[in-house]
Amino acid sequence: MTCLLCDKALDDQPTWQHFLGIQKDMSACPICLEKFERIDHVIEDDVLDSVHSLYAYNEAAKEYLHQFKFMQDIALAQIFATSLRSVLNDSKKIIVPIPMHPINKRKRTFSQVDALLEAAKIPYQSLLEKTTESVMGEKSRSERLAMTELFRVTADICSNEAVYVLVDDIYTTGTTLRHAAEALKQRGVQRVEAVTLFRPIREK
């Protein structure tokens, strides 16, 4: 096997952790994985009950997202499968991926958030539909904050009392997640959390 990031051979010799079922099969080498800075940054705001971002949006993260999303290297969804399972493996919570607009999804050929969850073998419910083709990464901060409704709920809410967890690849201003949370809360959902793979860390 080779590292999905640098294409160098992985050490596939079995260890005692393998025999005990502790160590998971790796899809990237330790050198590449060390480039990602784990931060486990958690915040709350007036709409989202919590947002948990796993990694800093550093140069390694930028390169990863470019290769994964825009070069359509869907195999890279495996890289963070274990990390996502560690924070989303709760059968009492309902996992809801942030969707792409159907037109943008056809252009890219896949939804990156769905791919991340499927690689991690995390069950999810597609409850939201994006109402605009515009891409957040192409807008300024002020344009993002000024946007109106971005999502609508397209399926029945099975339990208003359950915890719903939105999942996205990156948290920037939080506009996308807040709009998604508002759409769910307008349908009676009481608690909405979020998990993102990356978040920019601004120096104080």
Side-chain angles (χ1 to χ4, degrees):
M1 294 179 61
T2 59
C3 172
L4 292 176
L5 295 170
C6 69
D7 207 32
K8 293 182 179 178
L10 293 172
D11 183 5
D12 58 2
Q13 294 298 315
T15 64
W16 65 268
Q17 290 100 326
H18 274 107
F19 291 119
L20 293 176
I22 299 173
Q23 182 171 320
K24 304 295 183 181
D25 291 334
M26 293 178 58
S27 54
C29 68
I31 294 175
C32 286
L33 291 176
E34 285 176 1
K35 296 177 182 178
F36 297 100
E37 179 188 353
R38 185 72 184 248
I39 56 172
D40 286 307
H41 189 281
V42 181
I43 64 168
E44 297 179 4
D45 68 17
D46 56 341
V47 179
L48 289 155
D49 294 284
S50 76
V51 182
H52 182 177
S53 299
L54 303 186
Y55 294 90
Y57 187 54
N58 58 13
E59 286 303 316
K62 293 176 184 178
E63 292 176 8
Y64 169 84
L65 284 184
H66 176 76
Q67 186 71 18
F68 176 43
K69 294 167 63 172
F70 304 110
M71 301 302 289
Q72 302 176 342
D73 192 349
I74 195 171
L76 293 184
Q78 295 287 341
I79 299 294
F80 297 104
T82 300
S83 297
L84 287 171
R85 274 196 301 271
S86 70
V87 296
L88 293 172
N89 190 21
D90 186 342
S91 60
K92 296 179 180 179
K93 296 183 177 182
I94 298 173
I95 310 302
V96 182
I98 293 294
M100 299 176 66
H101 189 277
I103 292 177
N104 293 333
K105 184 177 179 180
R106 284 197 296 271
K107 291 177 181 177
R108 187 172 294 168
T109 72
F110 74 100
S111 168
Q112 71 272 9
V113 182
D114 290 2
L116 289 168
L117 292 172
E118 289 162 8
K121 296 181 173 56
I122 297 169
Y124 63 86
Q125 296 185 23
S126 298
L127 301 179
L128 299 172
E129 179 179 82
K130 193 171 184 185
T131 59
T132 174
E133 291 180 54
S134 60
V135 178
M136 284 295 175
E138 297 173 354
K139 294 184 177 295
S140 67
R141 179 182 176 85
S142 59
E143 288 174 329
R144 294 176 190 176
L145 295 174
M147 293 187 74
T148 56
E149 182 179 296
L150 296 181
F151 300 97
R152 59 172 166 257
V153 178
T154 59
D156 292 335
I157 300 298
C158 62
S159 172
N160 291 339
E161 297 180 357
V163 176
Y164 287 72
V165 184
L166 299 167
V167 180
D168 205 358
D169 52 358
I170 186 169
Y171 178 104
T172 48
T173 63
T175 301
T176 298
L177 291 170
R178 290 190 193 97
H179 276 265
E182 285 173 349
L184 291 172
K185 289 191 172 184
Q186 286 172 3
R187 294 288 293 271
V189 174
Q190 297 178 18
R191 183 174 179 86
V192 181
E193 301 175 353
V195 170
T196 71
L197 198 53
F198 301 115
R199 176 190 176 92
I201 298 299
R202 297 173 178 86
E203 295 183 1
K204 295 181 180 180

